[in-house]
Amino acid sequence: MTGPRFAISARAGPVTGGAVRYRIYSALGLSGYDIAAIVLFGSLAFGLGATIIGFGALVWHPYALVPLVPINPQFIRGAPQRSS
């Protein structure tokens, strides 16, 4: 958790984040493969969490997408379509 804090405070996260993580984790004796596994796990966990929260928000309020995409909100919720 210290690596991202340094990267954010440096205001150049995409550039400095990996280097800061590498310096901190390699000082603890981890190899490059171990550090890559930690970064991959963190990225995948964040992506999965953001996806779950996003889909949960759409189930809660499906009408939020109506101005952006032409999808019926009932289709997003998975409710049966009524035939007119």
Side-chain angles (χ1 to χ4, degrees), residues 11-37:
R11 301 280 186 226
V15 177
T16 61
V20 170
R21 282 188 199 97
Y22 182 78
R23 283 188 65 129
I24 290 172
Y25 289 139
S26 64
L28 295 173
L30 297 174
S31 70
Y33 290 111
D34 293 334
I35 297 168

Side-chain angles (χ1 to χ4, degrees), residues 2-78:
T2 308
R5 290 183 188 143
F6 283 123
I8 291 170
S9 66
R11 301 280 186 226
V15 177
T16 61
V20 170
R21 282 188 199 97
Y22 182 78
R23 283 188 65 129
I24 290 172
Y25 289 139
S26 64
L28 295 173
L30 297 174
S31 70
Y33 290 111
D34 293 334
I35 297 168
I38 291 170
V39 170
L40 179 65
F41 175 76
S43 299
L44 289 176
F46 175 79
L48 181 64
T51 302
I52 290 171
I53 289 173
F55 284 145
L58 283 177
V59 168
W60 184 266
H61 185 61
Y63 292 95
L65 280 182
V66 169
L68 301 174
V69 293
I71 297 176
N72 186 353
Q74 296 303 321
F75 176 75
I76 294 172
R77 272 210 167 143

